[in-house]
Amino acid sequence: MVQEQYWKELHQLKTHINFIELQLEKAEKIDRIIKVVLAIASSSSIGAWAIWNQFSWIWASIIAFSQVTSAINQFLPYKSRIKEYTSLLHELDELMIQAEFKWHAIADGKFTATEINKARFEIRSAKQKSLKKNIQITIPTNSKLHAQAEASATEYLNNFYA
């Protein structure tokens, strides 16, 4: 029974790691899109304005849009999410390695029920400390990404431990 609880904690940890990785990929993608759009809008609008003077109001609007987006970009959460998720992932990956290492001894019956329970709560506690240390913003919920993360965790653990 306590072995099963430890296994579930291990699965939950791997799911959290996968979810944060997916959130990191999403934040990086959005940040990259914003930067590319700003770069294209700024450089192409100035050149187009010089070429097609009769549509200068369109180009002026594009430049104004890019300037406003550039100004508010620093207040969007994507840059800080990238930094925070990256730091969190390093710590959670290390925790996962330690938890998997303990799993081998637990599965072999080398730990008592009390020791397994203690190990399970050590995972939980370390995960919570990492979250408090690294995450200063809210992690957005996303059912689709969570389902992907859980499926990936199940696949990973089945590949290595089933």
Side-chain angles (χ1 to χ4, degrees):
M1 163 121 169
V2 286
Q3 281 184 338
E4 185 178 320
Q5 289 175 337
Y6 187 90
W7 179 257
K8 287 179 181 179
E9 195 67 48
L10 192 65
H11 186 274
Q12 191 70 13
L13 175 60
K14 187 62 178 166
T15 300
H16 281 87
I17 290 169
N18 293 343
F19 182 74
I20 296 298
E21 285 175 342
L22 291 170
Q23 288 284 18
L24 175 60
E25 288 174 13
K26 182 179 174 184
E28 287 174 338
K29 181 180 178 182
I30 292 170
D31 189 56
R32 190 177 315 107
I33 288 170
I34 290 170
K35 287 177 181 175
V36 167
V37 166
L38 287 175
I40 291 171
S42 294
S43 56
S44 67
S45 296
I46 293 169
W49 192 350
I51 295 171
W52 296 300
N53 261 341
Q54 68 266 27
F55 299 112
S56 61
W57 62 273
I58 292 174
W59 309 120
S61 299
I62 292 172
I63 291 170
F65 169 77
S66 71
Q67 291 299 312
V68 169
T69 305
S70 186
I72 64 169
N73 189 33
Q74 64 183 331
F75 301 109
L76 297 176
Y78 304 107
K79 263 186 212 172
S80 61
R81 283 182 185 161
I82 291 168
K83 182 180 175 187
E84 291 177 7
Y85 291 164
T86 301
S87 298
L88 177 61
L89 277 172
H90 290 301
E91 290 186 19
L92 292 182
D93 282 336
E94 180 65 32
L95 179 59
M96 185 68 189
I97 290 168
Q98 294 169 5
E100 285 183 83
F101 181 76
K102 277 189 182 174
W103 170 250
H104 291 287
I106 290 170
D108 287 343
K110 295 179 181 175
F111 281 41
T112 66
T114 303
E115 291 170 328
I116 295 170
N117 200 39
K118 182 181 177 204
R120 184 170 68 96
F121 280 98
E122 285 171 354
I123 292 172
R124 224 182 249 187
S125 176
K127 184 170 60 174
Q128 189 63 30
K129 283 179 187 174
S130 291
L131 282 167
K132 282 183 180 180
K133 175 183 166 189
N134 294 297
I135 302 296
Q136 308 304 317
I137 56 174
T138 304
I139 299 174
T141 58
N142 185 318
S143 300
K144 183 180 174 186
L145 291 184
H146 189 271
Q148 272 182 274
E150 193 162 353
S152 181
T154 300
E155 181 181 348
Y156 173 85
L157 293 171
N158 285 339
N159 283 342
F160 288 98
Y161 299 104

